[in-house]
Amino acid sequence: MNALEIRGLTKKFGDFVAVDNMNLNVREGEIFGFLGANGAGKSTTINMISSLLRTTKGEIDLLGKNIAKNIKFAKMNIGIVPQDLAIYENMNAYENVSFFAGLYGLRGALLKERTEEALDFVGLGDKQKSFPKNFSGGMKRRLNIACAIAHRPKLIIMDEPTVGIDPQSRNYILQSVKKLNQMGSTIIYTSHYMEEVEEICTRIAIVDHGKIIAEGTKEQLKTIITDTKEIWVGVKAEGELPLDSLKQIQGVTSVRFEEGVIKIHSKTEVNNLNRIIQQLIRDQAEIRSVEEQAPNLETVFLTLTGRNLRD
Amino acid sequence: MNVINIALKELKVNLRDFRTFVFMLAFPIVLMLILGTALTNAFTSGATVGDMSLLYRNTASSPQLTQAWNEFSSVLEQQGVKLVAASASEDGKADVQDNQYSGYAEITDNGIRFYGSQRDSIESNIIQGMLSAFADRYNLAAAAMKENPTQAQTILAGASAQQSYVNESSLTAESQPGSMGYYAIAMTTMIAFYSVISGSNLIRGEKTRNTALRLSAAPVSKGSIFAGKVIGVTIVNFLCVVAVVLFSKFAYNADWGTHYPTLLLILFTEVLLAVSVGVGASYLFKGESSRSFVMIFTQIASFLGGAYFPVDPKGVMNVLSNISPMRWANEALTKIIYQGNLQAAWPALGLNIGVAAVFLIVAALFMRRQEAI
Ligand SMILES: Nc1ncnc2c1ncn2[C@@H]1O[C@H](COP(=O)(O)OP(=O)(O)OP(=O)(O)O)[C@@H](O)[C@H]1O
Ligand SMILES: [Mg+2]
């Protein structure tokens, strides 16, 4: 069965169309990745799925039931991890989780058990009595997740749960997502980080301007790209880098510099590696490595939308 | 059930908020002290009571009266009144005019005649009050004496044992709050009204914390969220108000009278009114303008309500001040505390609840129209 089925979903804010006639199926047991640049319409879609926003048009079914007609059922079975932290600073970790879980009808011993379970799950079992103001960014993010899972929802929607945190917490969260999935929850995962999506998602949709422009497993998505290659040139980062002159080279579609690596996208059919290297030598860049990247989601995204995932 | 959960959450979050304590407790308590002591002179009718002295001459022949008078005298002395028996040649009235005593009393078989000092008017009023209480009691006892002498003894004995002269005298219709009494009431109703600020943050706070998202995503009706939050925050603010009342009573000896249930009911409804106005304002005015509205409104209402200075009972200010909920509450409280006039509660209760209802309904309608809370 489909955990989630979206048909013709549209959301307008005034004249602005944030989500445009979207169709999407998420199967039970999937970790479904939702990729899109800033303003693509991911959060708006998620908010409509979790009944926070009204739809302008279209239908959403959760586990085969229309959410507008079964609002209580839908709410009981969805857990949302909002993009921005949504916790009470004046309540400790336990109280935060327990308060929200209580809104889902959990009481007494069961409430206590589920609250502790959720906190253990995100690795905050020993911080139950601590207040969020003493938490690191990563711990707050984990608490943000715990608040969404204590009622054991069938569908967990995570809207960029790893923004601005240390690699350790990020790893912890990614592992937790996988574990939640193994325990039977379907997951919709939104992120700006391609590597995360590539690592954990079974299927991915790329959203742009409120529309899904590509959908499939990462392998399927990568096969879309046959005409673009990516060349990485490691350089010693000193002085002016000749990025503009590289862009003049035939076949090159984009050039950017990140952490000591010049990343060049180019058309596959043009063999321009020699010319790129010659240009770099002429500009006296100290080349340390050159490698041609296998096509990745970043390339797919760039090719499809014409922009980088992160600005 | 969810309403209670949400109300409890609201209590917890607010009671742990340090600002609640500084703002809702320390602020009025300090202001009470400053205004209540600095502005004593503005309240001439309630100036502090000085030494009380009573010159008396007992010419009564009745042994019961003399015995009762002697018992009463010791009570008076316990109350800090210095009693001096007039010598045979002394002109008591002249002594009082010379300001040697607060008053002069002649006890005769026909009754007590009292001459009060014009200058120590408060002191002499107090003594007069006690004397008339004594006289009433004695007359009662004397009437009983004819029927049943033992009962008369109990009336007299009971009177001195309970020192009830003093209580009765302090309940005369003329009594007025002194400066501490005034500011105890004014600061308390002001702080009750400051609940407007909590009210205006009620929903906005959840939005800025993003917890509004979680609340809206949970299977809880907007109505429960709204009711729970309003109840919770009203209780928190009311607890602060009660704390201020108790503090002023025990630390500053402010007079709160005896009708606590009625007083507290007025204060509770005032908090409810303030919270409702705040919630309503947060929907009627968007964003920053609601904050400005609330700040300006509370300041004007405090000023007009006499929080800082008593409102001149004549003139245009007096008319204007009637729009301040603090004024309604202050008037009702003063009448109840100082005149025992419980009827005075009704206008304040009615206005508080009525205005609260209007604003709550407005807020609820706005809330229903919105997508999330
Ligand atoms: N309440 C609103 N009123 C008007 N416009 C809105 C509203 N909410 C979102 N938008 C607009 O809709 C578009 C989609 O926003 P949305 O938050 O869904 O993007 P997103 O994909 O989640 O982006 P991000 O990665 O930055 O979170 C944006 O252009 C945004 O400005
Ligand atoms: Mg978003």
Side-chain angles (χ1 to χ4, degrees), chain A residues 40 57 71 99 112 120 134 160 174 186 207 276 278 290 294:
Chain A
K57 250 197 343 242
I71 188 134
F99 170 66
K112 186 165 184 290
D120 284 341
N134 304 320
E160 305 193 27
L174 292 182
T186 305
V207 191
I276 290 170
Q278 275 166 16
V290 177

PDB file of all heavy atoms in Angstrom, chain A residues 40 57 71 99 112 120 134 160 174 186 207 276 278 290 294:
ATOM      1  N   ALA A  40      11.720  26.009  -3.045  1.00  0.00           N
ATOM      2  CA  ALA A  40      11.188  25.101  -4.061  1.00  0.00           C
ATOM      3  C   ALA A  40       9.760  24.669  -3.728  1.00  0.00           C
ATOM      4  O   ALA A  40       8.998  24.292  -4.614  1.00  0.00           O
ATOM      5  CB  ALA A  40      12.089  23.880  -4.193  1.00  0.00           C
ATOM      6  N   LYS A  57      -5.823  23.133  -3.927  1.00  0.00           N
ATOM      7  CA  LYS A  57      -6.453  22.108  -4.769  1.00  0.00           C
ATOM      8  C   LYS A  57      -5.747  20.787  -4.528  1.00  0.00           C
ATOM      9  O   LYS A  57      -4.627  20.760  -4.043  1.00  0.00           O
ATOM     10  CB  LYS A  57      -6.313  22.497  -6.253  1.00  0.00           C
ATOM     11  CG  LYS A  57      -7.621  22.879  -6.874  1.00  0.00           C
ATOM     12  CD  LYS A  57      -7.727  22.904  -8.401  1.00  0.00           C
ATOM     13  CE  LYS A  57      -6.533  22.929  -9.284  1.00  0.00           C
ATOM     14  NZ  LYS A  57      -6.482  24.162 -10.111  1.00  0.00           N
ATOM     15  N   ILE A  71      -9.251  13.617   9.517  1.00  0.00           N
ATOM     16  CA  ILE A  71      -8.187  14.484  10.017  1.00  0.00           C
ATOM     17  C   ILE A  71      -7.559  13.942  11.300  1.00  0.00           C
ATOM     18  O   ILE A  71      -6.350  13.977  11.480  1.00  0.00           O
ATOM     19  CB  ILE A  71      -8.706  15.926  10.191  1.00  0.00           C
ATOM     20  CG1 ILE A  71      -7.554  16.873  10.516  1.00  0.00           C
ATOM     21  CG2 ILE A  71      -9.762  16.056  11.251  1.00  0.00           C
ATOM     22  CD1 ILE A  71      -7.603  18.126   9.717  1.00  0.00           C
ATOM     23  N   PHE A  99       5.014  16.274  27.011  1.00  0.00           N
ATOM     24  CA  PHE A  99       3.900  17.180  26.706  1.00  0.00           C
ATOM     25  C   PHE A  99       3.338  16.893  25.316  1.00  0.00           C
ATOM     26  O   PHE A  99       2.121  16.722  25.145  1.00  0.00           O
ATOM     27  CB  PHE A  99       4.336  18.639  26.795  1.00  0.00           C
ATOM     28  CG  PHE A  99       3.306  19.600  26.260  1.00  0.00           C
ATOM     29  CD1 PHE A  99       2.080  19.746  26.889  1.00  0.00           C
ATOM     30  CD2 PHE A  99       3.547  20.333  25.103  1.00  0.00           C
ATOM     31  CE1 PHE A  99       1.114  20.615  26.392  1.00  0.00           C
ATOM     32  CE2 PHE A  99       2.584  21.201  24.596  1.00  0.00           C
ATOM     33  CZ  PHE A  99       1.372  21.337  25.244  1.00  0.00           C
ATOM     34  N   LYS A 112       5.001   7.632  29.993  1.00  0.00           N
ATOM     35  CA  LYS A 112       6.355   7.651  30.537  1.00  0.00           C
ATOM     36  C   LYS A 112       7.268   6.744  29.706  1.00  0.00           C
ATOM     37  O   LYS A 112       8.367   7.130  29.318  1.00  0.00           O
ATOM     38  CB  LYS A 112       6.295   7.162  31.990  1.00  0.00           C
ATOM     39  CG  LYS A 112       7.593   7.254  32.737  1.00  0.00           C
ATOM     40  CD  LYS A 112       7.333   7.103  34.239  1.00  0.00           C
ATOM     41  CE  LYS A 112       8.597   7.297  35.051  1.00  0.00           C
ATOM     42  NZ  LYS A 112       9.566   6.203  34.893  1.00  0.00           N
ATOM     43  N   ASP A 120      15.716   7.987  24.622  1.00  0.00           N
ATOM     44  CA  ASP A 120      16.811   7.021  24.442  1.00  0.00           C
ATOM     45  C   ASP A 120      17.154   6.913  22.968  1.00  0.00           C
ATOM     46  O   ASP A 120      18.313   6.846  22.580  1.00  0.00           O
ATOM     47  CB  ASP A 120      16.380   5.632  24.944  1.00  0.00           C
ATOM     48  CG  ASP A 120      16.406   5.568  26.457  1.00  0.00           C
ATOM     49  OD1 ASP A 120      17.077   6.436  27.061  1.00  0.00           O
ATOM     50  OD2 ASP A 120      15.748   4.675  27.031  1.00  0.00           O
ATOM     51  N   ASN A 134      20.813  24.366  27.771  1.00  0.00           N
ATOM     52  CA  ASN A 134      22.162  23.836  27.985  1.00  0.00           C
ATOM     53  C   ASN A 134      22.578  22.836  26.913  1.00  0.00           C
ATOM     54  O   ASN A 134      23.601  22.195  27.047  1.00  0.00           O
ATOM     55  CB  ASN A 134      22.236  23.150  29.358  1.00  0.00           C
ATOM     56  CG  ASN A 134      21.821  24.083  30.475  1.00  0.00           C
ATOM     57  OD1 ASN A 134      22.176  25.261  30.452  1.00  0.00           O
ATOM     58  ND2 ASN A 134      21.061  23.590  31.437  1.00  0.00           N
ATOM     59  N   GLU A 160      14.461  19.014   6.935  1.00  0.00           N
ATOM     60  CA  GLU A 160      15.841  19.437   7.190  1.00  0.00           C
ATOM     61  C   GLU A 160      16.245  19.273   8.649  1.00  0.00           C
ATOM     62  O   GLU A 160      16.526  20.251   9.352  1.00  0.00           O
ATOM     63  CB  GLU A 160      16.033  20.894   6.753  1.00  0.00           C
ATOM     64  CG  GLU A 160      15.625  21.072   5.303  1.00  0.00           C
ATOM     65  CD  GLU A 160      16.079  22.389   4.721  1.00  0.00           C
ATOM     66  OE1 GLU A 160      17.088  22.935   5.197  1.00  0.00           O
ATOM     67  OE2 GLU A 160      15.421  22.857   3.783  1.00  0.00           O
ATOM     68  N   LEU A 174      21.221  10.448  11.280  1.00  0.00           N
ATOM     69  CA  LEU A 174      21.037   9.609  10.092  1.00  0.00           C
ATOM     70  C   LEU A 174      20.837   8.148  10.489  1.00  0.00           C
ATOM     71  O   LEU A 174      19.979   7.453   9.939  1.00  0.00           O
ATOM     72  CB  LEU A 174      22.245   9.740   9.159  1.00  0.00           C
ATOM     73  CG  LEU A 174      22.410  11.105   8.494  1.00  0.00           C
ATOM     74  CD1 LEU A 174      23.600  11.114   7.554  1.00  0.00           C
ATOM     75  CD2 LEU A 174      21.150  11.500   7.741  1.00  0.00           C
ATOM     76  N   THR A 186       7.438   4.808   7.825  1.00  0.00           N
ATOM     77  CA  THR A 186       7.786   5.371   6.528  1.00  0.00           C
ATOM     78  C   THR A 186       8.313   6.779   6.782  1.00  0.00           C
ATOM     79  O   THR A 186       7.818   7.465   7.674  1.00  0.00           O
ATOM     80  CB  THR A 186       6.542   5.449   5.631  1.00  0.00           C
ATOM     81  OG1 THR A 186       5.966   4.145   5.571  1.00  0.00           O
ATOM     82  CG2 THR A 186       6.893   5.945   4.246  1.00  0.00           C
ATOM     83  N   VAL A 207      12.381  18.544  -6.407  1.00  0.00           N
ATOM     84  CA  VAL A 207      11.311  19.544  -6.494  1.00  0.00           C
ATOM     85  C   VAL A 207      11.899  20.858  -6.954  1.00  0.00           C
ATOM     86  O   VAL A 207      12.965  21.275  -6.490  1.00  0.00           O
ATOM     87  CB  VAL A 207      10.668  19.786  -5.105  1.00  0.00           C
ATOM     88  CG1 VAL A 207       9.397  20.602  -5.233  1.00  0.00           C
ATOM     89  CG2 VAL A 207      10.397  18.479  -4.400  1.00  0.00           C
ATOM     90  N   ILE A 276      41.681  22.540 -19.915  1.00  0.00           N
ATOM     91  CA  ILE A 276      41.454  23.018 -18.543  1.00  0.00           C
ATOM     92  C   ILE A 276      42.765  23.043 -17.778  1.00  0.00           C
ATOM     93  O   ILE A 276      43.116  24.023 -17.111  1.00  0.00           O
ATOM     94  CB  ILE A 276      40.419  22.115 -17.832  1.00  0.00           C
ATOM     95  CG1 ILE A 276      39.033  22.344 -18.449  1.00  0.00           C
ATOM     96  CG2 ILE A 276      40.376  22.383 -16.328  1.00  0.00           C
ATOM     97  CD1 ILE A 276      37.980  21.355 -18.003  1.00  0.00           C
ATOM     98  N   GLN A 278      45.827  23.031 -19.005  1.00  0.00           N
ATOM     99  CA  GLN A 278      46.730  24.047 -19.577  1.00  0.00           C
ATOM    100  C   GLN A 278      46.413  25.433 -19.024  1.00  0.00           C
ATOM    101  O   GLN A 278      47.292  26.181 -18.640  1.00  0.00           O
ATOM    102  CB  GLN A 278      46.585  24.067 -21.103  1.00  0.00           C
ATOM    103  CG  GLN A 278      47.456  23.037 -21.791  1.00  0.00           C
ATOM    104  CD  GLN A 278      47.030  22.847 -23.236  1.00  0.00           C
ATOM    105  OE1 GLN A 278      46.300  23.665 -23.789  1.00  0.00           O
ATOM    106  NE2 GLN A 278      47.500  21.753 -23.850  1.00  0.00           N
ATOM    107  N   VAL A 290      43.732  15.643 -10.006  1.00  0.00           N
ATOM    108  CA  VAL A 290      42.681  15.833 -11.002  1.00  0.00           C
ATOM    109  C   VAL A 290      41.870  14.550 -11.036  1.00  0.00           C
ATOM    110  O   VAL A 290      42.434  13.462 -11.095  1.00  0.00           O
ATOM    111  CB  VAL A 290      43.275  16.088 -12.409  1.00  0.00           C
ATOM    112  CG1 VAL A 290      42.146  16.202 -13.429  1.00  0.00           C
ATOM    113  CG2 VAL A 290      44.133  17.331 -12.417  1.00  0.00           C
ATOM    114  N   ALA A 294      32.281  10.378 -10.857  1.00  0.00           N
ATOM    115  CA  ALA A 294      31.137   9.628 -11.367  1.00  0.00           C
ATOM    116  C   ALA A 294      29.929  10.546 -11.213  1.00  0.00           C
ATOM    117  O   ALA A 294      29.901  11.369 -10.309  1.00  0.00           O
ATOM    118  CB  ALA A 294      30.949   8.366 -10.539  1.00  0.00           C
TER     119      ALA A 294
END
